[in-house]
C-alpha cells in the first residue's frame, strides 16, 4: 500500500517516463499503466495506485513492488525467489552428496 509520508507520488504520465521502454524502443503508454492498475492487473498482479483529487497516482516504490510481484509470480510454484536453484541442479548436488 502506498504511504504518502514515505513515498513520493507521481502521475501515471510521469511513470511512463520511468518504466523501461518496451518492444521496438517504445514507451509504455498511460493506458497500459491504467490496465495494470485495474482489478484484473497483469497476470493477476495489480499495480498499486492512489487517487489524489481527480488524478490517479503511484510511486516508484509501488512500481518496484509491482515488478517484484510479477517476477515472483513467474517463478515455478514452491521455488523460493531468493534461491532460484532448479530441480536438476538440486539432483546433481544430491548425487555428489551435497
Amino acid at each position: 500500500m502506498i504511504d504518502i509520508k514515505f513515498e513520493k507520488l507521481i502521475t501515471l504520465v510521469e511513470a511512463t517516463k520511468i518504466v523501461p521502454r518496451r518492444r521496438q524502443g517504445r514507451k509504455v503508454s498511460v493506458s497500459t499503466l491504467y490496465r495494470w492498475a485495474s482489478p484484473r492487473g497483469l497476470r493477476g498482479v495489480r499495480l498499486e495506485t492512489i487517487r489524489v483529487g481527480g488524478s490517479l497516482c503511484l510511486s516508484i516504490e509501488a512500481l518496484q513492488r509491482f515488478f517484484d510481484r510479477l517476477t515472483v509470480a513467474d517463478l515455478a510454484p514452491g521455488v523460493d525467489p531468493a534461491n532460484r536453484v532448479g530441480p536438476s541442479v538440486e539432483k546433481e548436488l544430491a548425487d555428489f552428496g551435497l
Side-chain angles (χ1 to χ4, degrees), residues 10-22 25-36 47 56-60 63 67:
I10 59 174
T11 65
L12 295 184
V13 172
E14 293 170 324
T16 62
K17 298 170 187 166
I18 295 170
V19 175
R21 292 183 177 263
R22 309 233 8 219
R26 289 188 278 186
K27 288 193 316 186
V28 172
S29 69
V30 175
S31 62
T32 298
L33 294 175
Y34 272 107
R35 208 170 34 253
W36 291 351
L47 175 61
L56 201 57
C57 297
L58 52 86
S59 67
I60 295 172
L63 279 171
F67 295 138

Side-chain angles (χ1 to χ4, degrees), residues 88-98:
S88 63
V89 174
E90 289 179 5
K91 182 183 179 315
E92 288 181 35
L93 290 173
D95 290 344
F96 286 113
L98 300 174

Side-chain angles (χ1 to χ4, degrees), residues 19-20 36 62-72:
V19 175
W36 291 351
L63 279 171
Q64 181 67 51
R65 288 188 293 268
F66 175 71
F67 295 138
D68 288 344
R69 289 180 191 132
L70 282 174
T71 301
V72 170

